[in-house]
Amino acid sequence: MFKSKLFDSIGFIRAVFLIAFFILIFLASVTYRHIKELDKINDSIINTYEISIELGQLTSYLKDAETGYRGYIITNDSIYLNPFMDARKNINNSFQSLRNTIKNDSRKQIRLKRIYDLVDKRFSYFKNDFTSKKEFNSHFKNGRLIMDSLKTEVNFMLNAENKLLNSKGKLYRYNNSNTPLIIFSTFLISILLLSLGYLLIIKNYKDLVNQNIRLKIFDESSNQAEILGKYGSWLLNLENKTFDYSDNKFRLLGYEPQSFQPTVENLFEYIHPDDKEIIIDAFQQIKEKKFLPLTYYRIIKKDTLEIRYFRTTGKIFVDRLHNQKMIGTTQDITEDFNKTQLIELRNKELEQNNKELTEFNHVASHDLQEPLRKIQTFISRIEDKERENLSEIAKDYFLKIQEASNRMRVLIDDLLQYSRTNRSEKKFEAVDLNDVLSNAVSELSESIIEKKAQINTEKLHKLQGVPFQLEQLFINLIGNSLKYSKTDVPPVVTVTSKKIKASKAPKLNEKSKKEYIKITIKDNGLGFEQEYAERIFLLFNRLHGKKDYPGTGVGLAICKKIVENHKGYIFAKGKLNEGAEFEIYLPL
């Protein structure tokens, strides 16, 4: 019931009560007018009834007067004149009463005047002496005619009043029968409207209670969140320069919650002296730009007197009373500041280590090569001039020295290449992978011819990259396939590429619409166990013995570094004695 937001609004409840109030007033006025109408009908009925009674009395008084007059004429006894005289007096009283009753009805007044004239004329024919019988008969006859006319007028007026009485009686009975229904309807509608308002109030009260409970829970959650997040919220009234602090804002300052009334003036009491200008500038920005950017400053905590680093920001809004206020948050970032300082220190140490590593690479690539060249030169001279003078054991040792020096040369060259990959400038440009593959095949041509290898490819894509690094990537991977080929099977290396979205490549674990070029280099060589798929990219890592397959374990590490330089991914998939497959994803 009452699911709509309209029914939950205070405006709707107010409207219900206003409508109920006006309906009650309307129904009360209707009821009042109905009762007044009944009173009016009742007064009219009483008025009509009184007219009918008075007209009946008037007729009766005339008959009494005529009867008394006739008795007096016949008996000449004055006792019969008493009813006549009383009748005259009563008739005058009846006429006076009728005039008062019909004073607002001009038509009835005209007819009453006619009746009064007839009555007055009738009394003019009442005489106690006559000169002749003919005069008596004439008066008697005229009096009778006037009496008949008088009865006709009275009867007409009585009939009119009776009709009026009947019609008003019906109207009265109709209205009187409807009165309980109207009163009942009035109270029923009022009760329904009040009940509706009551139900809405009860519902809103329950909602208010629930919202109050949720608000308390949210308030407590906010307080706990502020404590965990080490921040406090505040509200600045720009009119009177007063603050409202949350409980945790007080705690951040080293005070008990709500222990003082915060103002702009006492704000500077806990600001570090060297940072007060920062706060002054911040208030100037609030005044001029109506905005508070991220502001960093230090405070001296009240309870421990330690220096803490704060970060604060705020935003201005206008409340319902049109007062400008600013709401903001202040966070204690001391730990973050200390971590940043520590990171900067570690970065400096790392820079120093990198510098030392660069120097070591320089030594490895230059200084170590000089004695190695001398060793190899002397080995070459001994081999040319003194080899025949050596014993078989010495020759064997000499061969091992020669192999070791050659491995040292390859290792130094690989380390130099790895160092260049780390330190080279990453100037990206448009690169055609077809050209990259062609250069790599040209570089490996001797090995390809020696191994009778077959390089299968299709038209490759273009992308943004570092050309010489991508060439080194292809040389190392294809060279790896040639190196670890089967002795009795010519190597077959297949190189393909295709465009793919990150969301369509589960290995990338990306849900974005970013596009990559997927390069696949597959061979039919020795392969490897899949459990070593990640290990083979580690520096100096080897899966085969030095005597069986030459190498330093640096080549695939260089490949991984090149791919990382291009913000890409490289994955290896292998099956022992069936071949290896490398997938490279480079972004467009």
Side-chain angles (χ1 to χ4, degrees):
M1 188 179 183
F2 310 126
K3 296 292 184 182
S4 174
K5 291 183 178 179
L6 173 65
F7 296 111
D8 292 335
S9 64
I10 296 298
F12 179 76
I13 298 175
R14 186 183 293 114
V16 167
F17 274 99
L18 284 175
I19 292 171
F21 178 73
F22 283 115
I23 289 177
L24 284 175
I25 292 177
F26 173 75
L27 293 175
S29 64
V30 169
T31 304
Y32 176 75
R33 289 177 60 188
H34 183 74
I35 293 173
K36 292 296 290 183
E37 187 67 25
L38 284 177
D39 289 340
K40 186 177 179 181
I41 294 172
N42 186 58
D43 291 342
S44 179
I45 290 173
I46 293 173
N47 183 273
T48 303
Y49 186 70
E50 288 177 351
I51 292 172
S52 299
I53 291 175
E54 288 297 334
L55 288 174
Q57 289 288 344
L58 181 63
T59 304
S60 178
Y61 293 149
L62 281 174
K63 288 180 180 179
D64 290 343
E66 190 172 354
T67 301
Y69 173 72
R70 288 178 179 177
Y72 173 71
I73 293 298
I74 294 172
T75 62
N76 201 24
D77 188 352
S78 60
I79 194 172
Y80 288 102
L81 290 176
N82 291 332
F84 174 80
M85 298 303 295
D86 291 339
R88 181 62 180 177
K89 181 180 179 182
N90 290 331
I91 286 172
N92 288 335
N93 291 335
S94 291
F95 271 111
Q96 184 62 40
S97 177
L98 285 170
R99 287 193 190 96
N100 293 332
T101 304
I102 63 172
K103 62 183 179 180
N104 295 323
D105 193 332
S106 58
R107 287 168 51 182
K108 289 182 180 180
Q109 288 177 358
I110 293 172
R111 189 166 292 279
L112 184 63
K113 178 71 168 56
R114 193 180 302 159
I115 293 173
Y116 183 79
D117 291 342
L118 288 172
V119 170
D120 191 55
K121 192 173 183 181
R122 178 69 186 89
F123 270 95
S124 66
Y125 283 100
F126 289 144
K127 295 178 63 176
N128 54 3
D129 56 338
F130 297 96
T131 55
S132 64
K133 185 177 180 180
K134 183 179 179 180
E135 183 183 5
F136 173 78
N137 289 333
S138 176
H139 274 67
F140 185 80
K141 181 180 179 181
N142 290 333
R144 185 177 179 182
L145 290 175
I146 291 171
M147 192 65 181
D148 290 339
S149 298
L150 181 62
K151 288 179 180 179
T152 300
E153 290 292 334
V154 170
N155 288 334
F156 182 84
M157 195 170 180
L158 280 173
N159 289 334
E161 293 298 323
N162 286 333
K163 288 180 181 178
L164 185 60
L165 184 62
N166 288 334
S167 64
K168 290 184 177 181
K170 290 180 181 178
L171 182 60
Y172 180 81
R173 287 191 295 274
Y174 174 77
N175 287 341
N176 193 44
S177 63
N178 288 336
T179 299
L181 179 62
I182 292 174
I183 295 174
F184 176 75
S185 300
T186 300
F187 280 99
L188 181 61
I189 294 173
S190 302
I191 290 171
L192 288 175
L193 288 172
L194 291 175
S195 299
L196 176 62
Y198 174 77
L199 290 175
L200 289 174
I201 290 174
I202 290 297
K203 180 182 181 299
N204 276 39
Y205 174 75
K206 290 180 179 178
D207 291 342
L208 186 62
V209 170
N210 292 333
Q211 289 175 5
N212 191 41
I213 293 173
R214 288 196 295 270
L215 185 61
K216 289 181 178 179
I217 294 173
F218 177 77
D219 186 54
E220 182 60 29
S221 299
S222 298
N223 290 336
Q224 293 301 320
E226 288 188 6
I227 294 172
L228 292 174
K230 295 183 179 179
Y231 72 91
S233 56
W234 48 267
L235 184 68
L236 171 61
N237 190 322
L238 297 177
E239 305 294 334
N240 55 21
K241 300 294 187 300
T242 59
F243 281 96
D244 286 325
Y245 286 173
S246 66
D247 288 349
N248 204 52
K249 178 65 187 293
F250 284 94
R251 296 189 188 99
L252 293 178
L253 299 174
Y255 292 89
E256 288 296 322
Q258 309 303 326
S259 57
F260 65 91
Q261 175 59 47
T263 63
V264 174
E265 287 72 20
N266 60 32
L267 170 67
F268 292 95
E269 294 181 4
Y270 48 80
I271 301 295
H272 193 282
D274 295 341
D275 291 348
K276 289 185 178 181
E277 286 297 325
I278 297 176
I279 303 302
I280 294 173
D281 291 341
F283 274 100
Q284 190 65 26
Q285 290 198 50
I286 294 173
K287 184 178 179 181
E288 295 177 357
K289 301 181 180 179
K290 306 298 182 183
F291 174 72
L292 177 62
L294 279 174
T295 304
Y296 297 86
Y297 58 94
R298 292 167 294 173
I299 64 107
I300 301 175
K301 203 170 181 183
K302 171 70 174 178
D303 50 357
T304 61
L305 299 180
E306 62 178 316
I307 296 175
R308 307 292 293 182
Y309 291 82
F310 278 12
R311 177 179 63 199
T312 189
T313 186
K315 182 179 180 181
I316 289 179
F317 71 97
V318 179
D319 64 15
R320 292 183 178 180
L321 299 178
H322 305 290
N323 295 321
Q324 276 197 338
K325 294 184 178 180
M326 172 173 280
I327 187 171
T329 59
T330 299
Q331 187 175 15
D332 187 337
I333 59 169
T334 306
E335 282 71 18
D336 293 338
F337 178 82
N338 293 336
K339 288 178 182 178
T340 302
Q341 295 293 101
L342 183 60
I343 289 172
E344 290 179 357
L345 179 62
R346 293 289 183 266
N347 286 338
K348 289 180 180 179
E349 293 176 355
L350 185 59
E351 289 176 3
Q352 182 63 30
N353 291 337
N354 287 335
K355 185 178 180 181
E356 293 174 357
L357 182 59
T358 301
E359 293 174 354
F360 172 77
N361 287 335
H362 178 76
V363 170
S365 60
H366 295 89
D367 296 350
L368 291 181
Q369 289 192 62
E370 183 59 27
L372 181 60
R373 279 195 293 269
K374 289 182 179 179
I375 291 172
Q376 289 182 324
T377 299
F378 290 136
I379 289 174
S380 177
R381 290 178 181 177
I382 293 173
E383 186 176 17
D384 292 341
K385 298 179 180 180
E386 302 294 335
R387 182 177 179 81
E388 297 302 327
N389 299 324
L390 298 176
S391 65
E392 292 300 322
I393 295 175
K395 289 180 180 179
D396 186 50
Y397 287 156
F398 184 76
L399 180 62
K400 289 181 180 179
I401 292 172
Q402 194 175 28
E403 290 176 352
S405 65
N406 289 334
R407 284 201 304 272
M408 176 64 76
R409 166 69 66 184
V410 173
L411 179 59
I412 290 173
D413 289 341
D414 285 347
L415 284 175
L416 181 59
Q417 181 64 40
Y418 187 78
S419 176
R420 285 175 184 163
T421 304
N422 275 329
R423 294 183 290 107
S424 62
E425 294 184 8
K426 303 179 181 70
K427 292 184 179 180
F428 285 69
E429 58 184 79
V431 178
D432 189 340
L433 294 178
N434 296 288
D435 296 337
V436 171
L437 178 60
S438 177
N439 293 337
V441 171
S442 177
E443 180 74 21
L444 297 169
S445 58
E446 291 184 9
S447 181
I448 291 173
I449 295 172
E450 180 186 346
K451 294 274 189 175
K452 298 180 181 180
Q454 180 181 344
I455 308 298
N456 297 328
T457 186
E458 58 185 27
K459 187 173 178 59
L460 303 177
H461 287 77
K462 296 179 180 180
L463 49 75
Q464 293 291 319
V466 183
F468 83 88
Q469 288 193 9
L470 293 177
E471 286 181 13
Q472 189 65 46
L473 174 67
F474 274 55
I475 290 170
N476 285 5
L477 290 176
I478 296 174
N480 216 53
S481 296
L482 297 175
K483 183 190 299 182
Y484 297 106
S485 61
K486 298 175 183 176
T487 56
D488 54 344
V489 178
V492 177
V493 182
T494 304
V495 182
T496 59
S497 72
K498 69 175 181 177
K499 188 184 294 184
I500 188 172
K501 287 185 178 181
S503 57
K504 301 295 183 180
K507 290 183 178 180
L508 303 187
N509 197 24
E510 288 186 23
K511 303 299 181 182
S512 65
K513 296 181 179 179
K514 188 175 180 181
E515 290 186 326
Y516 288 84
I517 296 298
K518 178 185 176 183
I519 304 168
T520 304
I521 299 177
K522 186 177 181 180
D523 62 50
N524 62 341
L526 295 175
F528 55 87
E529 295 287 353
Q530 187 60 31
E531 60 182 293
Y532 302 115
E534 294 184 8
R535 179 179 160 188
I536 59 177
F537 293 109
L538 298 177
L539 193 63
F540 302 124
N541 184 74
R542 291 173 52 85
L543 299 182
H544 303 278
K546 296 178 182 179
K547 293 183 179 180
D548 299 330
Y549 299 94
T552 59
V554 179
L556 289 180
I558 292 175
C559 291
K560 185 174 179 64
K561 181 58 66 176
I562 291 172
V563 172
E564 288 176 349
N565 289 345
H566 286 75
K567 308 297 182 185
Y569 304 89
I570 184 169
F571 302 97
K573 183 169 62 174
K575 199 168 184 181
L576 196 61
N577 295 321
E578 291 189 15
E581 182 178 338
F582 291 88
E583 293 180 354
I584 302 103
Y585 294 85
L586 300 178
L588 281 174

